[in-house]
Amino acid sequence: MSRFDHAAYVSLTMEFRCNLRCVHCMIEGTMDRLAPESDGHFEAVLAHNARERCWTGLILTGSEITLRRDLPDLARRARASGFSHVRIQTHGMHLGQPSYCRRLVEAGIDEFFVSIAGSDAASHDGLTLVPGSFERALRGLETLDGMEGVATLTNTVVTERSYRLLPGIVARLAHLRRLAQMEFWLYFPMAEEDEKGLIARHTEVLPYLREAVLAARALGRAVEVKNFPHCLLGDLGDALVNAQPELHIDPRFWSEFERNGFYQCVHRDACGSRDCLGLNTAYIRKFGTEAEALRPLPITPPSRSTTP
């Protein structure tokens, strides 16, 4: 189950540069033409929330938000406007500097969502294509682990190259006391074909994913699984959480995103799941409809009112 209420957060894309070259990056083809949210829009969101109290948390994200030198200032302004929590979504490399971690926490950032691609330096750096990126991200998580009032989260993109690493990732991060939630996102390209060969077959991912979810929960962590068929998770179906905070991003992003073609499933009309995204176009073109592997979940009839 989730530790955080997605509806209580709003996410602003404030940067479109990145200094990693992750093989699984979904937006690498759009970074050069998408624009980050303007300072004026940032201020408008702060002012709106100060009046309406729509959200308790603000997420500052982008291709890599820590490339913004004014990140501490953005956090201070968000806190001053009334946000109870400020989170950054980051690859974590710059968190390897303890002094930088302290600056961010002192500015009001109390939640850090860090991408971890592999279970060790060789596997992680082999996916980010930047040597040293794993050690720096891990050092940052360990630095934050010693700071009061801080929560950390991790995100792992699950691909053909990484799904066998999932249990090892949980084990490698087991020592972190402030790691509140781990998320596992099944990779999909924003295209109709898997040109990179990174989509992994769900039934092959499943045993490793189950092991990772159970291990993380045994450590007291919340877990979210994204973009995976609900029916395949069985007794771990409550780990599927495809909800997201309200996202403010260049509108041109959505025309690219919609190319994925989610919600395709031969059992969709007979399935009771409200959370499943089904299959996407690239997956079906690679593996087919998986009609035999997937099973519709029971449809729950609407509850009857007992009021006369």
Side-chain angles (χ1 to χ4, degrees), residues 116 118-119 134 138 141-142 145 152 154 165-182 184 211-212 214-221:
I116 300 295
S119 55
F134 179 78
L138 182 61
L141 286 167
E142 290 173 342
D145 212 47
T152 59
T154 60
L165 305 172
L166 298 182
I169 291 172
V170 176
R172 184 65 184 87
L173 304 180
H175 64 295
L176 298 173
R177 296 175 297 110
R178 299 192 187 280
L179 179 50
Q181 181 160 298
M182 302 187 76
F184 304 108
E211 184 179 347
L214 291 170
R217 286 180 167 179
L219 292 168
R221 283 161 194 167

Coordinates of all heavy atoms in Angstrom, one line a residue, residues 116 118-119 134 138 141-142 145 152 154 165-182 184 211-212 214-221:
I116 N 17.0 4.6 -8.6 CA 18.0 3.6 -8.5 C 17.8 2.5 -9.6 O 16.8 1.8 -9.6 CB 18.0 2.9 -7.1 CG1 18.2 3.9 -6.0 CG2 19.0 1.8 -7.0 CD1 19.6 4.6 -6.0
G118 N 20.0 0.0 -10.6 CA 20.6 -1.4 -10.5 C 21.0 -1.6 -9.0 O 20.8 -0.8 -8.2
S119 N 21.4 -2.9 -8.8 CA 21.7 -3.3 -7.4 C 23.1 -3.1 -7.0 O 23.4 -3.3 -5.8 CB 21.4 -4.8 -7.3 OG 22.1 -5.5 -8.3
F134 N 26.1 5.4 -9.3 CA 25.5 4.6 -8.2 C 26.0 5.0 -6.8 O 25.3 5.2 -5.9 CB 25.7 3.1 -8.4 CG 25.1 2.2 -7.4 CD1 23.8 1.9 -7.3 CD2 26.0 1.7 -6.4 CE1 23.3 1.1 -6.3 CE2 25.5 0.9 -5.4 CZ 24.1 0.6 -5.3
L138 N 23.9 6.5 -3.8 CA 23.8 5.8 -2.5 C 24.4 6.6 -1.4 O 23.8 6.6 -0.3 CB 24.6 4.5 -2.6 CG 24.6 3.6 -1.4 CD1 23.2 3.1 -1.0 CD2 25.5 2.3 -1.6
L141 N 21.7 9.0 -0.3 CA 20.6 8.4 0.5 C 21.1 8.1 1.9 O 20.4 8.3 2.9 CB 20.2 7.0 -0.2 CG 19.3 7.2 -1.4 CD1 19.2 5.8 -2.1 CD2 17.9 7.7 -1.0
E142 N 22.4 7.7 2.0 CA 22.9 7.5 3.4 C 23.1 8.8 4.1 O 22.9 8.8 5.4 CB 24.3 6.7 3.2 CG 24.1 5.3 2.7 CD 25.4 4.6 2.4 OE1 26.4 5.3 2.2 OE2 25.4 3.3 2.4
D145 N 19.8 9.7 5.3 CA 19.3 8.8 6.3 C 19.7 9.3 7.7 O 19.0 8.8 8.7 CB 20.0 7.4 6.1 CG 19.1 6.3 6.5 OD1 17.9 6.3 6.1 OD2 19.6 5.3 7.2
T152 N 12.8 9.3 2.4 CA 13.3 9.1 1.1 C 12.4 8.0 0.4 O 11.8 7.2 1.1 CB 14.8 8.6 1.1 OG1 14.9 7.4 1.9 CG2 15.7 9.7 1.6
T154 N 12.5 5.5 -3.4 CA 13.2 5.1 -4.5 C 12.3 4.7 -5.7 O 11.2 4.2 -5.4 CB 14.2 4.0 -4.2 OG1 13.5 2.8 -3.8 CG2 15.3 4.5 -3.2
L165 N 17.3 -7.8 -11.2 CA 18.1 -7.1 -10.2 C 17.2 -6.7 -9.1 O 17.7 -6.2 -8.0 CB 18.8 -5.9 -10.8 CG 19.7 -6.1 -12.0 CD1 20.2 -4.8 -12.5 CD2 20.9 -7.0 -11.5
L166 N 15.9 -6.8 -9.2 CA 14.9 -6.2 -8.3 C 15.2 -6.6 -6.8 O 15.3 -5.8 -5.9 CB 13.5 -6.4 -8.7 CG 13.1 -5.8 -10.1 CD1 11.6 -6.0 -10.3 CD2 13.4 -4.3 -10.1
P167 N 15.2 -7.9 -6.6 CA 15.5 -8.4 -5.2 C 16.8 -7.9 -4.6 O 16.9 -7.5 -3.5 CB 15.4 -9.9 -5.3 CG 14.6 -10.2 -6.5 CD 15.0 -9.1 -7.5
G168 N 17.8 -7.8 -5.5 CA 19.1 -7.3 -5.1 C 19.1 -5.8 -4.7 O 19.8 -5.4 -3.8
I169 N 18.3 -5.1 -5.4 CA 18.1 -3.6 -5.1 C 17.5 -3.5 -3.7 O 18.0 -2.6 -2.9 CB 17.3 -2.9 -6.2 CG1 18.0 -2.9 -7.5 CG2 16.9 -1.5 -5.7 CD1 17.2 -2.4 -8.7
V170 N 16.5 -4.2 -3.4 CA 15.9 -4.1 -2.1 C 16.9 -4.5 -1.0 O 17.0 -3.8 0.0 CB 14.6 -5.1 -2.0 CG1 14.1 -5.0 -0.6 CG2 13.6 -4.6 -3.0
A171 N 17.7 -5.6 -1.3 CA 18.7 -6.0 -0.3 C 19.8 -5.0 -0.1 O 20.2 -4.7 1.0 CB 19.3 -7.3 -0.7
R172 N 20.2 -4.3 -1.2 CA 21.3 -3.4 -1.1 C 20.9 -2.1 -0.4 O 21.8 -1.5 0.3 CB 21.7 -3.0 -2.6 CG 23.0 -2.0 -2.6 CD 24.2 -2.7 -2.0 NE 25.3 -1.9 -1.9 CZ 25.6 -1.1 -0.8 NH1 24.8 -1.1 0.2 NH2 26.7 -0.4 -0.8
L173 N 19.6 -1.8 -0.4 CA 19.2 -0.6 0.3 C 18.5 -0.9 1.7 O 17.9 0.0 2.3 CB 18.1 0.2 -0.5 CG 18.6 0.5 -1.9 CD1 17.5 1.3 -2.7 CD2 19.9 1.4 -1.9
A174 N 18.7 -2.1 2.1 CA 18.0 -2.6 3.4 C 18.4 -1.8 4.6 O 17.7 -1.7 5.6 CB 18.2 -4.1 3.6
H175 N 19.6 -1.3 4.6 CA 20.2 -0.6 5.8 C 19.6 0.8 6.0 O 19.8 1.4 7.0 CB 21.7 -0.5 5.7 CG 22.2 0.3 4.5 ND1 21.9 0.0 3.2 CD2 22.9 1.5 4.5 CE1 22.5 0.9 2.4 NE2 23.1 1.8 3.2
L176 N 18.9 1.3 5.0 CA 18.4 2.7 5.1 C 17.2 2.8 6.0 O 16.1 2.2 5.7 CB 18.1 3.3 3.7 CG 19.3 3.3 2.7 CD1 18.8 3.7 1.3 CD2 20.4 4.3 3.2
R177 N 17.2 3.6 7.0 CA 16.1 3.6 8.0 C 15.0 4.6 7.5 O 13.9 4.4 7.9 CB 16.7 4.1 9.4 CG 17.7 3.2 10.0 CD 18.2 3.8 11.3 NE 19.0 5.0 11.0 CZ 18.7 6.2 11.4 NH1 17.5 6.4 12.0 NH2 19.4 7.2 11.1
R178 N 15.4 5.6 6.7 CA 14.4 6.6 6.3 C 13.8 6.3 4.9 O 13.0 7.1 4.4 CB 15.0 8.0 6.4 CG 15.4 8.4 7.7 CD 15.8 9.9 7.8 NE 16.3 10.2 9.1 CZ 15.6 10.4 10.2 NH1 14.3 10.2 10.2 NH2 16.2 10.6 11.4
L179 N 14.1 5.2 4.4 CA 13.5 4.8 3.1 C 12.1 4.3 3.3 O 11.9 3.2 3.7 CB 14.4 3.7 2.4 CG 13.9 3.2 1.0 CD1 13.6 4.4 0.1 CD2 14.9 2.3 0.4
A180 N 11.2 5.2 3.0 CA 9.8 4.9 3.4 C 9.0 4.1 2.3 O 8.1 3.4 2.6 CB 9.0 6.2 3.6
Q181 N 9.4 4.3 1.0 CA 8.6 3.7 -0.1 C 9.6 3.4 -1.2 O 10.5 4.1 -1.6 CB 7.5 4.6 -0.5 CG 6.7 4.1 -1.6 CD 5.3 4.8 -1.7 OE1 4.5 4.8 -0.8 NE2 5.1 5.5 -2.8
M182 N 9.3 2.2 -1.8 CA 10.0 1.8 -3.0 C 9.0 1.6 -4.2 O 7.9 1.0 -4.0 CB 10.8 0.5 -2.8 CG 11.8 0.6 -1.7 SD 12.9 -0.9 -1.5 CE 14.0 -0.7 -2.9
F184 N 8.4 0.5 -8.3 CA 8.9 -0.3 -9.4 C 8.0 0.0 -10.6 O 6.8 -0.4 -10.7 CB 8.9 -1.8 -9.1 CG 9.7 -2.1 -7.9 CD1 9.0 -2.5 -6.7 CD2 11.0 -2.1 -7.8 CE1 9.7 -2.8 -5.5 CE2 11.8 -2.4 -6.7 CZ 11.1 -2.7 -5.5
E211 N 9.3 -11.2 -5.4 CA 10.3 -11.3 -4.4 C 10.7 -10.0 -3.8 O 10.9 -9.8 -2.6 CB 11.5 -12.1 -4.9 CG 12.6 -12.3 -3.9 CD 13.8 -13.1 -4.5 OE1 13.7 -13.6 -5.6 OE2 14.8 -13.1 -3.8
A212 N 10.8 -9.0 -4.7 CA 11.2 -7.6 -4.3 C 10.1 -7.0 -3.5 O 10.4 -6.3 -2.4 CB 11.5 -6.8 -5.5
L214 N 7.8 -8.4 -1.6 CA 7.7 -9.1 -0.3 C 8.9 -8.7 0.6 O 8.7 -8.5 1.8 CB 7.6 -10.6 -0.5 CG 6.3 -11.1 -1.1 CD1 6.4 -12.6 -1.5 CD2 5.1 -10.9 -0.1
A215 N 10.1 -8.6 0.0 CA 11.3 -8.2 0.8 C 11.2 -6.8 1.3 O 11.5 -6.5 2.4 CB 12.5 -8.4 -0.1
A216 N 10.7 -5.9 0.4 CA 10.6 -4.5 0.8 C 9.5 -4.3 1.9 O 9.7 -3.6 2.9 CB 10.2 -3.6 -0.4
R217 N 8.4 -5.1 1.8 CA 7.4 -5.0 2.8 C 7.9 -5.6 4.1 O 7.5 -5.1 5.2 CB 6.1 -5.7 2.4 CG 5.4 -4.9 1.3 CD 4.1 -5.6 0.9 NE 3.2 -4.7 0.1 CZ 2.1 -5.1 -0.4 NH1 1.6 -6.3 -0.3 NH2 1.4 -4.2 -1.1
A218 N 8.7 -6.6 4.1 CA 9.3 -7.2 5.3 C 10.1 -6.2 6.0 O 10.3 -6.3 7.2 CB 10.0 -8.5 4.9
L219 N 10.7 -5.3 5.3 CA 11.5 -4.2 5.9 C 10.7 -3.0 6.4 O 11.2 -2.1 6.9 CB 12.5 -3.7 4.9 CG 13.6 -4.7 4.5 CD1 14.4 -4.2 3.2 CD2 14.6 -4.9 5.6
G220 N 9.3 -3.1 6.3 CA 8.5 -2.1 6.7 C 8.2 -1.0 5.7 O 7.8 0.1 6.1
R221 N 8.6 -1.2 4.5 CA 8.4 -0.2 3.4 C 7.1 -0.3 2.7 O 6.7 -1.4 2.4 CB 9.6 -0.3 2.5 CG 10.8 0.3 3.1 CD 12.1 0.0 2.5 NE 13.2 0.3 3.5 CZ 14.4 0.0 3.4 NH1 14.8 -0.8 2.4 NH2 15.3 0.4 4.3

